[in-house]
Amino acid sequence: MRSPVIDTQSAPSVPRPARPPLRRVRGGRLLTGVARGLAEHLGIRPILVRLGFMLLATPLFEGLGMLLYVALWAVLPSEVGTKPWQDRRQWPVFALLGLGIVFLTVVTGWAGSGMLFGWLAAIVALGAGVIWHQIKPDADWLTTIVGTSGRRSAILRLGGGGALVAIGVIGILAAVVGLTRESIDNVLNSLLFTLIALGGIALVFGPLIYRMYLQLNSEREGRAREAERADIAAMVHDQVLHTLALIQRRSEDPREVARLARGQERALRNWLYKPSAQAADKFGAALEAAAAEVEDTFGITVDTVVVGDRDMDPHVSALVAAAREAMVNAAKHSGVNNISLYAEAEPDLLSVFVRDRGTGFDIDDIATDRHGVRGSILDRMHRHGGTAEVRSTVGEGTEVRLTMPVDSTENINDERNGQ
Amino acid sequence: MFRAGVRAELGDAVEVIGEAGSVAEAVATIRTALPDVVLLDVHMPDGGGRAVLEQVRATHPDIRFLALSVSDAAEDVIGLIRGGARGYVTKTIAAGELVDAIRRVAEGDAVFSPRLAGFVLDAFATKNQAPVSDPELDQLTNREREVLRLLARGYAYKEIAKELYISIKTVETHVSNVLRKLQMSNRYELSRWAVDRRIV
């Protein structure tokens, strides 16, 4: 016997939302999203992180905050997909704080050698970051360096990165050795000779390297095409050919043939047009999986239309289960072989409609001990805070309407689960 | 093979005056045969059905098109409708319904399959993503949305009219308006909405 207790027990086992990965966020950022990203990752308020950076940027910490910030900016990947916008309300405050720090540094003359090194390292990181992020804004620095991209970006990366590293290193060297007129001349001279030598080498080996690069490229494209072809061949062999063979063998059983053809059509369609989604974590995918199951079990077609989508949680699963039960009922009792399933996910409401044009029934005739409609649909929806309505007219068919209010934020959802 | 199947299914209800297997062939056939309704596939050799639409509509704006396709990719379907097709049905449609759809298109009506209604709802639901250039065109009224929802739920026009306490004529008007908005709205990348949605 099913009781509500089971559901309340299963609810707390839902995992808390995972801690967001360390990255630069795009929404609600002040400058580049480093502080906010860090705050989201650590689960603290962004303003604390920002003030922390400010404090570390004072001469007291030799300007460590700035170095840290620039380094993080250069290294962290950017968040993808969110619309970028800046939170400008806090700008004046932080601009004033920054000015204060600069003023303090200049007036007290407190900048030690550590601060100078910090600045030079920050310049290296800044320059490198500019180039890396220009090449591929959403990748982190490692994939950008290792990953292959176009010829132009390779030149940019090598040239720009090299120049910045050179400037930084020379600066640090000069600071260590001491800045005399002579040492600067020496450094500049050797730099000049290095550049001339590099130019000579490039002139000799450049065309050779370029040709190799072109060859590599065409080879890689060829391999990609080959892999794609192999993928399609494997898919056709595994699914289409097998189904066709089965259909030939069972040609005397039209119902079975139709079932096989339908299953195969669905599989191919998903493969061709759908982004891959797991039934376990998306509302739309779960509904489609349920519809496919009903199609295969009862040998009917379910016209599925899903608008919008949403992540799964226990309430959404209950809705999908109720929808599945409604489809099973329609398949079993309506006497038609086509039903419609329409689902819409709005930010605060999920609705599912299951409709058939079959025999229909009189709701009052259903005995109270029948669990199909009462237990699996009506009660289940009520337990999870939703509503269910069964509309049926004898001779015209049945429609089951399910609605489930949901919260647009994950946190509130969690609180409700914990009850 | 598929064309032969359609031809057989249509039987005597509709007069088939020509068929074609490629874009160039289709354009030439349509221009000589001058049909009332063209059944158009999304995918054709040497270009899409959209190419046929554009070429024919440039010279014969009064020929009507009904997209009949096995493709379920939203961008394909929305693309054809944006190009001027009067409706969309899938290839698994029953013969009787197809004849009915052809007749309705011939009479100037729009044919929305539940799936197309779903695509359109989805396309207009992402309304905050693009700058709205013409608010009149770039949004659906509540009534139009309701009608589309009922269409997506598998209701026939008659049933929609009953459900919303309006006349069938009004339902037809709403559906035509949706089609007009879909074809004329300046929403950026409306036909590419599905691609965008996958990134989010």
Side-chain angles (χ1 to χ4, degrees):
Chain A
M1 167 97 200
R2 189 172 307 168
S3 77
V5 179
I6 295 169
D7 277 291
T8 43
Q9 272 178 351
S10 68
S13 69
V14 186
R16 287 173 50 79
R19 160 184 298 228
L22 188 54
R23 60 185 181 185
R24 292 183 294 124
V25 297
R26 310 216 300 168
R29 62 190 177 167
L30 206 60
L31 257 179
T32 61
V34 168
R36 201 184 174 88
L38 201 60
E40 278 180 12
H41 179 66
L42 298 175
I44 56 179
R45 294 177 51 199
I47 192 150
L48 293 178
V49 178
R50 284 174 189 147
L51 286 177
F53 272 123
M54 277 297 185
L55 181 70
L56 285 176
T58 56
L60 198 63
F61 292 92
E62 307 262 11
L64 181 66
M66 271 175 287
L67 173 60
L68 216 59
Y69 190 93
V70 175
L72 279 174
W73 172 75
V75 166
L76 290 187
S78 175
E79 183 187 25
V80 192
T82 318
K83 206 170 144 196
W85 62 276
Q86 290 188 323
D87 183 6
R88 302 205 171 167
R89 286 166 307 169
Q90 291 183 29
W91 270 10
V93 184
F94 281 98
L96 275 179
L97 271 176
L99 273 179
I101 290 170
V102 170
F103 183 72
L104 202 69
T105 316
V106 171
V107 166
T108 58
W110 207 353
S113 60
M115 190 129 179
L116 185 64
F117 283 128
W119 272 109
L120 288 169
I123 286 175
V124 176
L126 183 75
V130 166
I131 291 159
W132 289 333
H133 291 318
Q134 258 176 357
I135 292 166
K136 223 176 179 187
D138 52 345
D140 64 90
W141 61 278
L142 200 65
T143 36
T144 317
I145 296 177
V146 176
T148 49
S149 37
R151 181 161 36 109
R152 220 176 68 103
S153 62
I155 290 168
L156 251 177
R157 207 184 317 163
L158 283 177
L164 274 152
V165 169
I167 291 170
V169 169
I170 289 167
I172 290 170
L173 260 180
V176 172
V177 177
L179 284 170
T180 60
R181 178 80 218 166
E182 216 172 312
S183 63
I184 291 176
D185 279 352
N186 273 340
V187 167
L188 284 181
N189 276 339
S190 27
L191 197 66
L192 195 67
F193 280 118
T194 315
L195 279 180
I196 290 171
L198 275 178
I201 291 170
L203 212 62
V204 176
F205 289 104
L208 194 70
I209 291 172
Y210 182 60
R211 204 175 314 136
M212 266 167 68
Y213 169 83
L214 284 185
Q215 241 166 22
L216 257 173
N217 240 13
S218 71
E219 235 169 73
R220 199 185 312 140
E221 271 168 25
R223 265 204 307 278
R225 265 199 303 276
E226 195 74 7
E228 199 176 341
R229 228 189 75 83
D231 254 9
I232 294 174
M235 152 83 192
V236 167
H237 173 264
D238 291 350
Q239 303 209 1
V240 183
L241 291 183
H242 279 283
T243 311
L244 286 177
L246 272 175
I247 286 178
Q248 284 174 39
R249 216 175 309 148
R250 306 254 180 108
S251 54
E252 73 290 339
D253 181 357
R255 206 178 151 87
E256 182 65 9
V257 168
R259 193 185 68 79
L260 285 168
R262 203 155 37 227
Q264 186 53 58
E265 188 203 330
R266 190 169 50 236
L268 266 178
R269 213 178 262 291
N270 283 344
W271 195 74
L272 286 172
Y273 303 121
K274 288 269 168 62
S276 53
Q278 293 295 315
D281 49 50
K282 281 288 179 194
F283 172 59
L287 263 183
E288 273 162 17
E293 214 184 301
V294 173
E295 277 193 338
D296 284 347
T297 316
F298 296 96
I300 55 159
T301 51
V302 181
D303 290 334
T304 312
V305 178
V306 180
V307 173
D309 212 344
R310 183 187 167 80
D311 286 341
M312 292 294 277
D313 69 26
H315 303 297
V316 181
S317 315
L319 177 63
V320 172
R324 189 182 175 284
E325 186 62 30
M327 285 188 273
V328 168
N329 281 343
K332 271 193 202 159
H333 304 302
S334 71
V336 291
N337 48 19
N338 180 291
I339 55 183
S340 306
L341 168 69
Y342 172 66
E344 187 168 359
E346 289 165 279
D348 49 357
L349 185 74
L350 301 179
S351 0
V352 176
F353 303 89
V354 177
R355 181 185 162 84
D356 67 70
R357 294 167 180 285
T359 49
F361 61 92
D362 192 344
I363 299 165
D364 299 331
D365 284 354
I366 296 186
T368 41
D369 60 335
R370 289 289 296 274
H371 286 287
V373 171
R374 207 162 297 278
S376 299
I377 300 180
L378 302 180
D379 288 353
R380 181 185 269 144
M381 290 304 290
H382 286 151
R383 273 206 303 278
H384 288 271
T387 58
E389 189 193 342
V390 181
R391 272 221 196 173
S392 189
T393 316
V394 175
E396 283 184 23
T398 308
E399 186 177 55
V400 179
R401 305 172 172 188
L402 310 169
T403 55
M404 174 83 75
V406 287
D407 298 299
S408 25
T409 53
E410 290 289 331
N411 292 339
I412 303 171
N413 245 344
D414 266 1
E415 273 168 30
R416 231 179 32 184
N417 292 343
Q419 274 178 6
Chain B
M1 194 160 86
F2 181 74
R3 289 207 306 270
V6 171
R7 203 173 189 142
E9 276 194 344
L10 288 178
D12 301 331
V14 177
E15 189 192 352
V16 180
I17 53 178
E19 51 182 272
S22 69
V23 170
E25 213 183 313
V27 173
T29 311
I30 294 167
R31 282 186 179 149
T32 49
L34 295 177
D36 296 325
V37 177
V38 177
L39 284 180
L40 193 62
D41 195 350
V42 175
H43 296 293
M44 298 179 94
D46 70 36
R50 182 114 195 219
V52 179
L53 254 178
E54 277 159 5
Q55 289 176 41
V56 173
R57 281 179 71 82
T59 52
H60 299 84
D62 48 343
I63 292 179
R64 300 205 170 93
F65 289 85
L66 175 62
L68 167 71
S69 178
V70 78
S71 164
D72 251 358
E75 55 269 45
D76 287 347
V77 175
I78 297 270
L80 268 192
I81 301 292
R82 289 268 285 169
R86 301 286 301 169
Y88 161 79
V89 290
T90 46
K91 278 183 177 170
T92 46
I93 190 174
E97 286 177 56
L98 179 57
V99 172
D100 187 47
I102 293 172
R103 188 161 294 140
R104 271 162 57 197
V105 169
E107 284 162 8
D109 202 358
V111 174
F112 271 64
S113 63
R115 201 173 282 278
L116 175 59
F119 289 156
V120 175
L121 277 173
D122 230 346
F124 278 94
T126 54
K127 62 176 167 224
N128 292 330
Q129 292 196 344
V132 174
S133 46
D134 185 348
E136 283 276 300
L137 280 175
D138 288 350
Q139 275 166 24
L140 299 178
T141 65
N142 284 338
R143 209 52 179 201
E144 286 161 0
R145 207 175 288 273
E146 272 178 283
V147 169
L148 275 190
R149 279 198 181 119
L150 288 170
L151 271 174
R153 278 157 66 179
Y155 278 60
Y157 282 13
K158 192 177 61 185
E159 293 161 326
I160 295 173
K162 206 172 117 196
E163 179 82 19
L164 298 178
Y165 304 107
I166 52 181
S167 70
I168 295 183
K169 198 83 210 129
T170 316
V171 176
E172 280 171 8
T173 313
H174 284 309
V175 172
S176 311
N177 282 346
V178 171
L179 194 72
R180 185 180 56 90
K181 285 185 182 181
L182 195 57
Q183 288 170 351
M184 292 174 48
S185 75
N186 291 319
R187 276 153 80 40
Y188 292 17
E189 324 230 342
L190 184 56
S191 53
R192 280 189 46 206
W193 63 279
V195 181
D196 294 341
R197 219 164 58 102
R198 279 171 206 178
I199 297 169
V200 174

